[in-house]
Short mmCIF file of all heavy atoms in Angstrom, two decimals:
data_model
loop_
_atom_site.label_atom_id
_atom_site.label_comp_id
_atom_site.label_asym_id
_atom_site.label_seq_id
_atom_site.Cartn_x
_atom_site.Cartn_y
_atom_site.Cartn_z
N MET A 169 -127.02 29.52 -129.08
CA MET A 169 -126.68 30.28 -130.26
C MET A 169 -127.19 29.53 -131.49
O MET A 169 -126.95 28.34 -131.65
CB MET A 169 -125.17 30.43 -130.32
CG MET A 169 -124.71 31.23 -131.47
SD MET A 169 -122.94 31.50 -131.25
CE MET A 169 -122.54 32.04 -132.84
N LYS A 170 -127.86 30.24 -132.36
CA LYS A 170 -128.44 29.61 -133.54
C LYS A 170 -127.39 29.52 -134.64
O LYS A 170 -126.64 30.44 -134.88
CB LYS A 170 -129.64 30.42 -134.01
CG LYS A 170 -130.34 29.76 -135.15
CD LYS A 170 -131.63 30.47 -135.47
CE LYS A 170 -132.19 29.78 -136.69
NZ LYS A 170 -133.59 29.76 -136.73
N SER A 171 -127.36 28.38 -135.32
CA SER A 171 -126.40 28.15 -136.39
C SER A 171 -127.01 28.52 -137.73
O SER A 171 -128.22 28.42 -137.92
CB SER A 171 -125.98 26.68 -136.38
OG SER A 171 -125.18 26.42 -137.50
N PHE A 172 -126.18 28.93 -138.66
CA PHE A 172 -126.65 29.23 -140.00
C PHE A 172 -126.77 27.98 -140.86
O PHE A 172 -127.39 27.98 -141.89
CB PHE A 172 -125.69 30.22 -140.69
CG PHE A 172 -125.71 31.57 -140.06
CD1 PHE A 172 -124.64 32.01 -139.30
CD2 PHE A 172 -126.79 32.41 -140.22
CE1 PHE A 172 -124.65 33.27 -138.73
CE2 PHE A 172 -126.81 33.67 -139.65
CZ PHE A 172 -125.74 34.10 -138.90
N PHE A 173 -126.10 26.90 -140.45
CA PHE A 173 -126.12 25.66 -141.21
C PHE A 173 -127.32 24.82 -140.79
O PHE A 173 -127.73 24.83 -139.64
CB PHE A 173 -124.84 24.86 -140.96
CG PHE A 173 -123.61 25.58 -141.43
CD1 PHE A 173 -122.69 26.07 -140.51
CD2 PHE A 173 -123.37 25.80 -142.77
CE1 PHE A 173 -121.57 26.74 -140.92
CE2 PHE A 173 -122.25 26.46 -143.19
CZ PHE A 173 -121.34 26.94 -142.27
N PRO A 174 -127.86 24.05 -141.73
CA PRO A 174 -128.97 23.17 -141.35
C PRO A 174 -128.49 22.06 -140.43
O PRO A 174 -127.31 21.72 -140.40
CB PRO A 174 -129.46 22.61 -142.69
CG PRO A 174 -128.35 22.83 -143.65
CD PRO A 174 -127.56 24.00 -143.15
N GLN A 175 -129.41 21.48 -139.69
CA GLN A 175 -129.07 20.43 -138.72
C GLN A 175 -128.43 19.23 -139.39
O GLN A 175 -127.52 18.62 -138.84
CB GLN A 175 -130.34 19.99 -137.97
CG GLN A 175 -130.89 21.03 -137.04
CD GLN A 175 -129.96 21.27 -135.86
OE1 GLN A 175 -129.20 20.40 -135.46
NE2 GLN A 175 -130.02 22.47 -135.31
N SER A 176 -128.85 18.89 -140.59
CA SER A 176 -128.30 17.71 -141.26
C SER A 176 -126.83 17.92 -141.61
O SER A 176 -126.06 16.97 -141.66
CB SER A 176 -129.10 17.38 -142.52
OG SER A 176 -129.01 18.46 -143.42
N PHE A 177 -126.42 19.17 -141.84
CA PHE A 177 -125.02 19.43 -142.18
C PHE A 177 -124.14 19.32 -140.94
O PHE A 177 -123.05 18.77 -141.00
CB PHE A 177 -124.88 20.82 -142.80
CG PHE A 177 -123.47 21.14 -143.22
CD1 PHE A 177 -122.94 20.58 -144.36
CD2 PHE A 177 -122.66 21.97 -142.46
CE1 PHE A 177 -121.64 20.86 -144.74
CE2 PHE A 177 -121.38 22.25 -142.83
CZ PHE A 177 -120.87 21.69 -143.99
N GLU A 178 -124.61 19.81 -139.81
CA GLU A 178 -123.81 19.77 -138.59
C GLU A 178 -123.62 18.35 -138.09
O GLU A 178 -122.54 17.97 -137.66
CB GLU A 178 -124.48 20.61 -137.50
CG GLU A 178 -124.44 22.09 -137.77
CD GLU A 178 -125.19 22.89 -136.73
OE1 GLU A 178 -125.87 22.27 -135.88
OE2 GLU A 178 -125.12 24.12 -136.76
N ALA A 179 -124.68 17.56 -138.10
CA ALA A 179 -124.62 16.21 -137.54
C ALA A 179 -124.40 15.17 -138.62
O ALA A 179 -124.59 13.98 -138.37
CB ALA A 179 -125.91 15.92 -136.77
N GLY A 180 -124.01 15.57 -139.81
CA GLY A 180 -123.86 14.63 -140.92
C GLY A 180 -122.65 13.73 -140.73
O GLY A 180 -121.64 14.09 -140.15
N ALA A 181 -122.80 12.52 -141.21
CA ALA A 181 -121.70 11.57 -141.16
C ALA A 181 -120.64 11.97 -142.19
O ALA A 181 -120.95 12.66 -143.16
CB ALA A 181 -122.22 10.17 -141.46
N PRO A 182 -119.39 11.57 -142.00
CA PRO A 182 -118.35 11.93 -142.97
C PRO A 182 -118.66 11.47 -144.39
O PRO A 182 -118.22 12.08 -145.34
CB PRO A 182 -117.10 11.24 -142.44
CG PRO A 182 -117.35 11.05 -140.99
CD PRO A 182 -118.84 10.88 -140.85
N SER A 183 -119.42 10.40 -144.53
CA SER A 183 -119.73 9.92 -145.87
C SER A 183 -120.72 10.85 -146.58
O SER A 183 -120.82 10.84 -147.79
CB SER A 183 -120.31 8.51 -145.81
OG SER A 183 -121.52 8.53 -145.08
N LYS A 184 -121.47 11.66 -145.83
CA LYS A 184 -122.45 12.56 -146.43
C LYS A 184 -121.84 13.91 -146.80
O LYS A 184 -122.44 14.67 -147.54
CB LYS A 184 -123.62 12.79 -145.47
CG LYS A 184 -124.49 11.58 -145.28
CD LYS A 184 -125.67 11.94 -144.42
CE LYS A 184 -126.58 10.75 -144.24
NZ LYS A 184 -127.73 11.08 -143.39
N THR A 185 -120.67 14.24 -146.26
CA THR A 185 -120.07 15.54 -146.57
C THR A 185 -119.51 15.51 -147.98
O THR A 185 -119.04 14.48 -148.47
CB THR A 185 -118.97 15.90 -145.57
OG1 THR A 185 -117.97 14.89 -145.60
CG2 THR A 185 -119.53 16.03 -144.17
N ARG A 186 -119.51 16.65 -148.61
CA ARG A 186 -119.02 16.76 -149.98
C ARG A 186 -117.54 17.11 -149.96
O ARG A 186 -117.14 18.08 -149.34
CB ARG A 186 -119.80 17.85 -150.70
CG ARG A 186 -119.41 18.01 -152.13
CD ARG A 186 -120.29 19.03 -152.79
NE ARG A 186 -119.73 19.32 -154.09
CZ ARG A 186 -119.90 20.45 -154.73
NH1 ARG A 186 -120.61 21.40 -154.18
NH2 ARG A 186 -119.38 20.64 -155.91
N ARG A 187 -116.75 16.32 -150.63
CA ARG A 187 -115.31 16.58 -150.71
C ARG A 187 -114.91 16.75 -152.16
O ARG A 187 -115.41 16.06 -153.03
CB ARG A 187 -114.52 15.44 -150.09
CG ARG A 187 -114.80 15.32 -148.62
CD ARG A 187 -113.88 14.36 -147.97
NE ARG A 187 -114.30 14.24 -146.58
CZ ARG A 187 -113.47 14.25 -145.58
NH1 ARG A 187 -112.19 14.35 -145.79
NH2 ARG A 187 -113.90 14.14 -144.35
N LEU A 188 -113.96 17.65 -152.39
CA LEU A 188 -113.48 17.87 -153.74
C LEU A 188 -112.37 16.89 -154.06
O LEU A 188 -111.53 16.58 -153.22
CB LEU A 188 -112.94 19.29 -153.89
CG LEU A 188 -113.98 20.40 -153.80
CD1 LEU A 188 -113.28 21.75 -153.84
CD2 LEU A 188 -114.96 20.30 -154.93
N LYS A 189 -112.37 16.42 -155.30
CA LYS A 189 -111.29 15.55 -155.76
C LYS A 189 -110.04 16.40 -155.94
O LYS A 189 -110.13 17.62 -156.19
CB LYS A 189 -111.68 14.89 -157.07
CG LYS A 189 -112.84 13.93 -156.92
CD LYS A 189 -113.19 13.32 -158.26
CE LYS A 189 -114.37 12.39 -158.12
NZ LYS A 189 -114.76 11.81 -159.40
N PRO A 190 -108.87 15.82 -155.83
CA PRO A 190 -107.64 16.62 -155.97
C PRO A 190 -107.54 17.36 -157.30
O PRO A 190 -107.04 18.48 -157.35
CB PRO A 190 -106.52 15.58 -155.84
CG PRO A 190 -107.13 14.48 -155.04
CD PRO A 190 -108.58 14.45 -155.43
N GLY A 191 -107.99 16.74 -158.38
CA GLY A 191 -107.94 17.41 -159.68
C GLY A 191 -108.82 18.64 -159.73
O GLY A 191 -108.43 19.69 -160.26
N MET A 192 -110.01 18.53 -159.17
CA MET A 192 -110.93 19.67 -159.15
C MET A 192 -110.39 20.78 -158.25
O MET A 192 -110.46 21.96 -158.57
CB MET A 192 -112.31 19.23 -158.66
CG MET A 192 -113.32 20.35 -158.58
SD MET A 192 -113.69 21.14 -160.14
CE MET A 192 -114.72 19.90 -160.87
N LEU A 193 -109.80 20.40 -157.14
CA LEU A 193 -109.22 21.38 -156.23
C LEU A 193 -108.07 22.12 -156.90
O LEU A 193 -107.95 23.35 -156.80
CB LEU A 193 -108.74 20.69 -154.95
CG LEU A 193 -108.22 21.58 -153.85
CD1 LEU A 193 -109.31 22.51 -153.35
CD2 LEU A 193 -107.69 20.75 -152.70
N ALA A 194 -107.23 21.39 -157.63
CA ALA A 194 -106.11 22.02 -158.34
C ALA A 194 -106.61 22.99 -159.41
O ALA A 194 -106.07 24.09 -159.56
CB ALA A 194 -105.22 20.95 -158.96
N ARG A 195 -107.65 22.59 -160.15
CA ARG A 195 -108.20 23.47 -161.18
C ARG A 195 -108.77 24.74 -160.57
O ARG A 195 -108.61 25.83 -161.12
CB ARG A 195 -109.28 22.74 -161.98
CG ARG A 195 -108.72 21.80 -163.03
CD ARG A 195 -109.80 21.35 -163.99
NE ARG A 195 -110.77 20.47 -163.36
CZ ARG A 195 -110.69 19.16 -163.29
NH1 ARG A 195 -109.65 18.54 -163.81
NH2 ARG A 195 -111.63 18.45 -162.71
N ARG A 196 -109.42 24.61 -159.44
CA ARG A 196 -109.97 25.81 -158.79
C ARG A 196 -108.87 26.73 -158.30
O ARG A 196 -108.97 27.95 -158.40
CB ARG A 196 -110.88 25.41 -157.63
CG ARG A 196 -112.20 24.87 -158.10
CD ARG A 196 -113.16 24.73 -156.97
NE ARG A 196 -114.44 24.22 -157.44
CZ ARG A 196 -115.51 24.14 -156.70
NH1 ARG A 196 -115.47 24.49 -155.44
NH2 ARG A 196 -116.63 23.68 -157.21
N CYS A 197 -107.80 26.15 -157.77
CA CYS A 197 -106.67 26.98 -157.29
C CYS A 197 -106.01 27.70 -158.45
O CYS A 197 -105.72 28.90 -158.36
CB CYS A 197 -105.66 26.12 -156.55
SG CYS A 197 -106.25 25.54 -154.95
N VAL A 198 -105.77 26.99 -159.55
CA VAL A 198 -105.14 27.61 -160.71
C VAL A 198 -106.05 28.68 -161.30
O VAL A 198 -105.60 29.77 -161.67
CB VAL A 198 -104.78 26.54 -161.77
CG1 VAL A 198 -104.35 27.17 -163.08
CG2 VAL A 198 -103.68 25.64 -161.23
N GLY A 199 -107.33 28.40 -161.35
CA GLY A 199 -108.27 29.39 -161.85
C GLY A 199 -108.29 30.65 -161.00
O GLY A 199 -108.35 31.77 -161.51
N SER A 200 -108.21 30.46 -159.69
CA SER A 200 -108.19 31.62 -158.79
C SER A 200 -106.92 32.44 -158.99
O SER A 200 -106.96 33.68 -158.98
CB SER A 200 -108.27 31.17 -157.33
OG SER A 200 -109.49 30.51 -157.10
N LEU A 201 -105.80 31.77 -159.19
CA LEU A 201 -104.55 32.49 -159.44
C LEU A 201 -104.60 33.27 -160.75
O LEU A 201 -104.08 34.39 -160.83
CB LEU A 201 -103.37 31.52 -159.44
CG LEU A 201 -103.00 30.92 -158.10
CD1 LEU A 201 -101.89 29.88 -158.27
CD2 LEU A 201 -102.56 32.00 -157.13
N ILE A 202 -105.23 32.69 -161.76
CA ILE A 202 -105.35 33.39 -163.05
C ILE A 202 -106.22 34.63 -162.89
O ILE A 202 -105.91 35.70 -163.43
CB ILE A 202 -105.91 32.44 -164.12
CG1 ILE A 202 -104.85 31.37 -164.46
CG2 ILE A 202 -106.34 33.19 -165.38
CD1 ILE A 202 -105.36 30.26 -165.34
N VAL A 203 -107.31 34.51 -162.14
CA VAL A 203 -108.19 35.66 -161.92
C VAL A 203 -107.45 36.75 -161.14
O VAL A 203 -107.55 37.94 -161.46
CB VAL A 203 -109.47 35.22 -161.18
CG1 VAL A 203 -110.27 36.41 -160.69
CG2 VAL A 203 -110.33 34.36 -162.10
N LEU A 204 -106.69 36.36 -160.12
CA LEU A 204 -105.93 37.36 -159.35
C LEU A 204 -104.88 38.05 -160.21
O LEU A 204 -104.67 39.26 -160.09
CB LEU A 204 -105.27 36.69 -158.14
CG LEU A 204 -106.22 36.34 -156.99
CD1 LEU A 204 -105.47 35.54 -155.93
CD2 LEU A 204 -106.80 37.59 -156.39
N ALA A 205 -104.20 37.29 -161.07
CA ALA A 205 -103.19 37.89 -161.94
C ALA A 205 -103.85 38.87 -162.91
O ALA A 205 -103.32 39.96 -163.16
CB ALA A 205 -102.44 36.80 -162.70
N GLY A 206 -104.99 38.49 -163.45
CA GLY A 206 -105.71 39.39 -164.35
C GLY A 206 -106.15 40.66 -163.65
O GLY A 206 -106.06 41.76 -164.21
N ALA A 207 -106.61 40.52 -162.42
CA ALA A 207 -107.03 41.71 -161.66
C ALA A 207 -105.84 42.62 -161.39
O ALA A 207 -105.96 43.85 -161.44
CB ALA A 207 -107.68 41.28 -160.35
N ALA A 208 -104.68 42.03 -161.11
CA ALA A 208 -103.48 42.84 -160.87
C ALA A 208 -103.06 43.58 -162.14
O ALA A 208 -102.68 44.76 -162.08
CB ALA A 208 -102.34 41.96 -160.37
N ILE A 209 -103.15 42.93 -163.28
CA ILE A 209 -102.78 43.58 -164.54
C ILE A 209 -103.73 44.72 -164.86
O ILE A 209 -103.32 45.82 -165.23
CB ILE A 209 -102.76 42.53 -165.68
CG1 ILE A 209 -101.59 41.56 -165.47
CG2 ILE A 209 -102.67 43.21 -167.05
CD1 ILE A 209 -101.62 40.37 -166.39
N VAL A 210 -105.03 44.47 -164.69
CA VAL A 210 -106.02 45.52 -164.97
C VAL A 210 -105.83 46.69 -164.02
O VAL A 210 -105.90 47.86 -164.43
CB VAL A 210 -107.45 44.94 -164.89
CG1 VAL A 210 -108.49 46.03 -164.91
CG2 VAL A 210 -107.68 43.96 -166.02
N THR A 211 -105.57 46.40 -162.75
CA THR A 211 -105.35 47.48 -161.78
C THR A 211 -104.13 48.30 -162.15
O THR A 211 -104.15 49.54 -162.09
CB THR A 211 -105.20 46.89 -160.37
OG1 THR A 211 -106.36 46.14 -160.05
CG2 THR A 211 -105.01 47.99 -159.34
N GLY A 212 -103.05 47.63 -162.54
CA GLY A 212 -101.86 48.35 -162.96
C GLY A 212 -102.10 49.21 -164.18
O GLY A 212 -101.62 50.35 -164.26
N ASP A 213 -102.87 48.69 -165.15
CA ASP A 213 -103.20 49.47 -166.34
C ASP A 213 -104.05 50.69 -165.99
O ASP A 213 -103.85 51.78 -166.53
CB ASP A 213 -103.92 48.61 -167.37
CG ASP A 213 -103.00 47.59 -168.02
OD1 ASP A 213 -101.77 47.73 -167.89
OD2 ASP A 213 -103.52 46.65 -168.65
N LEU A 214 -105.01 50.49 -165.09
CA LEU A 214 -105.85 51.62 -164.70
C LEU A 214 -105.05 52.69 -163.97
O LEU A 214 -105.24 53.88 -164.19
CB LEU A 214 -107.00 51.13 -163.82
CG LEU A 214 -108.12 50.38 -164.54
CD1 LEU A 214 -109.12 49.84 -163.53
CD2 LEU A 214 -108.81 51.29 -165.53
N LEU A 215 -104.15 52.27 -163.09
CA LEU A 215 -103.32 53.24 -162.38
C LEU A 215 -102.42 54.00 -163.34
O LEU A 215 -102.21 55.20 -163.19
CB LEU A 215 -102.50 52.54 -161.29
CG LEU A 215 -103.30 52.04 -160.09
CD1 LEU A 215 -102.39 51.26 -159.15
CD2 LEU A 215 -103.94 53.20 -159.36
N ALA A 216 -101.88 53.29 -164.33
CA ALA A 216 -101.03 53.95 -165.31
C ALA A 216 -101.84 54.94 -166.15
O ALA A 216 -101.36 56.03 -166.47
CB ALA A 216 -100.36 52.92 -166.20
N ALA A 217 -103.06 54.57 -166.49
CA ALA A 217 -103.90 55.48 -167.28
C ALA A 217 -104.30 56.70 -166.48
O ALA A 217 -104.36 57.81 -167.01
CB ALA A 217 -105.13 54.73 -167.78
N LEU A 218 -104.58 56.50 -165.19
CA LEU A 218 -104.98 57.63 -164.36
C LEU A 218 -103.83 58.58 -164.10
O LEU A 218 -104.04 59.78 -163.90
CB LEU A 218 -105.56 57.13 -163.04
CG LEU A 218 -106.92 56.44 -163.14
CD1 LEU A 218 -107.34 55.88 -161.79
CD2 LEU A 218 -107.96 57.41 -163.66
N SER A 219 -102.61 58.08 -164.09
CA SER A 219 -101.46 58.94 -163.85
C SER A 219 -100.84 59.40 -165.17
O SER A 219 -99.69 59.85 -165.18
CB SER A 219 -100.42 58.22 -163.00
OG SER A 219 -99.89 57.12 -163.72
N ASN A 220 -101.56 59.29 -166.25
CA ASN A 220 -101.12 59.72 -167.58
C ASN A 220 -99.85 59.03 -168.03
O ASN A 220 -99.04 59.61 -168.73
CB ASN A 220 -100.95 61.24 -167.63
CG ASN A 220 -102.25 61.96 -167.42
OD1 ASN A 220 -103.30 61.47 -167.85
ND2 ASN A 220 -102.20 63.10 -166.76
N GLY A 221 -99.63 57.82 -167.60
CA GLY A 221 -98.48 57.06 -168.03
C GLY A 221 -97.19 57.43 -167.36
O GLY A 221 -96.13 56.95 -167.72
N ASP A 222 -97.21 58.31 -166.37
CA ASP A 222 -95.99 58.72 -165.67
C ASP A 222 -95.72 57.76 -164.53
O ASP A 222 -95.92 58.07 -163.36
CB ASP A 222 -96.14 60.15 -165.12
CG ASP A 222 -96.30 61.17 -166.23
OD1 ASP A 222 -95.80 60.89 -167.34
OD2 ASP A 222 -96.93 62.21 -165.99
N THR A 223 -95.23 56.57 -164.85
CA THR A 223 -94.95 55.58 -163.81
C THR A 223 -93.48 55.54 -163.43
O THR A 223 -93.12 54.92 -162.45
CB THR A 223 -95.38 54.18 -164.27
OG1 THR A 223 -94.70 53.86 -165.49
CG2 THR A 223 -96.89 54.13 -164.50
N ALA A 224 -92.62 56.22 -164.21
CA ALA A 224 -91.19 56.21 -163.90
C ALA A 224 -90.89 57.14 -162.72
O ALA A 224 -91.52 58.17 -162.55
CB ALA A 224 -90.38 56.65 -165.12
N ALA A 225 -89.91 56.76 -161.91
CA ALA A 225 -89.56 57.57 -160.75
C ALA A 225 -88.83 58.84 -161.18
O ALA A 225 -88.98 59.90 -160.58
CB ALA A 225 -88.70 56.78 -159.79
N THR A 226 -88.03 58.75 -162.25
CA THR A 226 -87.31 59.93 -162.75
C THR A 226 -87.76 60.21 -164.17
O THR A 226 -88.01 59.28 -164.94
CB THR A 226 -85.79 59.68 -162.74
OG1 THR A 226 -85.50 58.54 -163.54
CG2 THR A 226 -85.29 59.46 -161.33
N PRO A 227 -87.83 61.46 -164.55
CA PRO A 227 -88.24 61.76 -165.93
C PRO A 227 -87.14 61.37 -166.90
O PRO A 227 -85.94 61.42 -166.57
CB PRO A 227 -88.45 63.28 -165.91
CG PRO A 227 -87.67 63.77 -164.75
CD PRO A 227 -87.64 62.64 -163.76
N PRO A 228 -87.50 60.97 -168.09
CA PRO A 228 -86.46 60.60 -169.07
C PRO A 228 -85.66 61.82 -169.49
O PRO A 228 -86.17 62.93 -169.55
CB PRO A 228 -87.27 60.02 -170.24
CG PRO A 228 -88.64 60.58 -170.08
CD PRO A 228 -88.83 60.81 -168.61
N SER A 229 -84.39 61.60 -169.76
CA SER A 229 -83.54 62.72 -170.15
C SER A 229 -83.86 63.12 -171.59
O SER A 229 -84.27 62.32 -172.41
CB SER A 229 -82.06 62.34 -170.02
OG SER A 229 -81.79 61.27 -170.90
N THR A 230 -83.62 64.39 -171.89
CA THR A 230 -83.94 64.90 -173.23
C THR A 230 -82.79 64.69 -174.19
O THR A 230 -82.97 64.76 -175.40
CB THR A 230 -84.28 66.40 -173.16
OG1 THR A 230 -83.18 67.09 -172.56
CG2 THR A 230 -85.55 66.61 -172.34
N THR A 231 -81.57 64.45 -173.70
CA THR A 231 -80.44 64.23 -174.59
C THR A 231 -80.37 62.75 -174.96
O THR A 231 -80.45 61.88 -174.09
CB THR A 231 -79.11 64.64 -173.92
OG1 THR A 231 -78.96 63.90 -172.72
CG2 THR A 231 -79.12 66.13 -173.60
N PRO A 232 -80.22 62.45 -176.24
CA PRO A 232 -80.14 61.03 -176.64
C PRO A 232 -78.79 60.44 -176.23
O PRO A 232 -77.77 61.11 -176.23
CB PRO A 232 -80.29 61.07 -178.15
CG PRO A 232 -79.87 62.45 -178.55
CD PRO A 232 -80.20 63.34 -177.38
N HIS A 233 -78.82 59.19 -175.86
CA HIS A 233 -77.58 58.50 -175.49
C HIS A 233 -76.94 57.94 -176.74
O HIS A 233 -77.59 57.32 -177.56
CB HIS A 233 -77.89 57.36 -174.50
CG HIS A 233 -78.45 57.85 -173.21
ND1 HIS A 233 -77.69 58.42 -172.26
CD2 HIS A 233 -79.72 57.84 -172.75
CE1 HIS A 233 -78.44 58.76 -171.21
NE2 HIS A 233 -79.69 58.42 -171.50
N GLN A 234 -75.63 58.16 -176.87
CA GLN A 234 -74.91 57.67 -178.03
C GLN A 234 -74.16 56.41 -177.66
O GLN A 234 -73.60 56.30 -176.55
CB GLN A 234 -73.95 58.72 -178.54
CG GLN A 234 -74.65 59.96 -179.08
CD GLN A 234 -73.64 60.97 -179.56
OE1 GLN A 234 -72.44 60.82 -179.34
NE2 GLN A 234 -74.13 62.01 -180.21
N ALA A 235 -74.13 55.48 -178.58
CA ALA A 235 -73.37 54.25 -178.37
C ALA A 235 -71.89 54.55 -178.52
O ALA A 235 -71.50 55.40 -179.34
CB ALA A 235 -73.80 53.20 -179.39
N PRO A 236 -71.04 53.90 -177.74
CA PRO A 236 -69.59 54.15 -177.91
C PRO A 236 -69.12 53.68 -179.27
O PRO A 236 -69.58 52.66 -179.79
CB PRO A 236 -68.96 53.33 -176.78
CG PRO A 236 -70.00 52.35 -176.38
CD PRO A 236 -71.32 52.94 -176.71
N THR A 237 -68.21 54.47 -179.84
CA THR A 237 -67.71 54.11 -181.17
C THR A 237 -66.59 53.10 -181.05
O THR A 237 -65.81 53.12 -180.11
CB THR A 237 -67.18 55.37 -181.89
OG1 THR A 237 -66.17 55.95 -181.08
CG2 THR A 237 -68.30 56.38 -182.11
N ALA A 238 -66.50 52.21 -182.04
CA ALA A 238 -65.44 51.19 -182.05
C ALA A 238 -64.15 51.81 -182.53
O ALA A 238 -64.14 52.69 -183.37
CB ALA A 238 -65.85 50.04 -182.96
N ARG A 239 -63.03 51.36 -182.00
CA ARG A 239 -61.73 51.91 -182.41
C ARG A 239 -61.03 50.98 -183.34
O ARG A 239 -61.03 49.85 -183.35
CB ARG A 239 -60.86 52.14 -181.18
CG ARG A 239 -61.42 53.24 -180.34
CD ARG A 239 -60.48 53.50 -179.22
NE ARG A 239 -61.12 54.43 -178.29
CZ ARG A 239 -60.49 55.03 -177.33
NH1 ARG A 239 -59.22 54.81 -177.15
NH2 ARG A 239 -61.10 55.85 -176.55
#
């Protein structure tokens, strides 16, 4: 079976492999989470726009609610 990786990568010594430093790895993880959160917000906004803003399960009542009066 033919590999997609070059021969030097498969048989490379551990010192030749590229490893990420913990700080760089943390920055990439946080960046990925920010991108996912942004995508979720944009998706929610698009869904709300496509449904004409009707995201509530029940329609709002037409009678205004009055606050209880103090005695």
Side-chain angles (χ1 to χ4, degrees):
M169 181 172 166
K170 185 171 176 148
S171 173
F172 292 108
F173 297 111
Q175 291 292 333
S176 62
F177 182 76
E178 290 176 352
S183 63
K184 290 185 179 180
T185 59
R186 182 176 171 206
R187 296 189 184 225
L188 292 175
K189 294 179 181 178
M192 179 62 75
L193 185 62
R195 281 193 291 270
R196 286 190 179 188
C197 289
V198 170
S200 298
L201 290 175
I202 291 172
V203 169
L204 286 173
I209 291 170
V210 169
T211 302
D213 289 345
L214 286 174
L215 289 175
L218 290 175
S219 65
N220 296 326
D222 296 332
T223 57
T226 58
S229 62
T230 56
T231 58
H233 297 283
Q234 294 180 351
T237 58
R239 292 185 189 192

